[in-house]
Amino acid sequence: MYTSTCLAFSVLIYVDGDARIVLCDHAADSSRKEYFSGEIECSSKSLSLCDPNGFAFASVPLQDAFARVSLRMSEERNPDIVECVVENMKSF
């Protein structure tokens, strides 16, 4: 699901184990297929990876008031690896 301020995805860890979700500034593995590419409004100039309860696992600063994001996964239905690539992530 995608809106102007949110990108939501889920993994079915209860089916066959854990999934690894990675926030990065470039695609780490070219064999993963891209399932989303677009921009998300982020007036706070930060992007957070949250669970359905609002717990933020990770937050990254952005260079702009939007995040240029692509979502790359090992497979569509039950990925074991999900890369959330944020192209305009600010350097730490």
Side-chain angles (χ1 to χ4, degrees), residues 1 8-13 19 21 52 71 73 76-79 82:
M1 180 177 91
F9 65 93
S10 64
V11 292
L12 303 174
I13 60 171
I21 302 171
L71 196 63
M73 297 186 286
E76 183 178 15
R77 299 275 305 150
N78 190 21
V82 177

Side-chain angles (χ1 to χ4, degrees), residues 7-74:
L7 170 63
F9 65 93
S10 64
V11 292
L12 303 174
I13 60 171
Y14 58 86
V15 173
D16 70 351
D18 291 337
R20 184 171 55 149
I21 302 171
V22 180
L23 274 171
C24 51
D25 61 357
H26 65 281
D29 186 339
S30 61
S31 69
R32 296 191 185 106
K33 185 176 175 187
E34 185 174 271
Y35 288 92
F36 172 84
S37 181
E39 292 184 355
I40 299 171
E41 296 173 25
C42 301
S43 59
S44 64
K45 290 191 172 184
S46 68
L47 178 76
S48 296
L49 179 62
C50 302
D51 71 7
N53 298 316
F55 175 78
F57 289 101
S59 294
V60 294
L62 302 170
Q63 298 172 6
D64 310 292
F66 63 90
R68 201 171 307 115
V69 177
S70 61
L71 196 63
R72 303 170 56 86
M73 297 186 286
S74 56

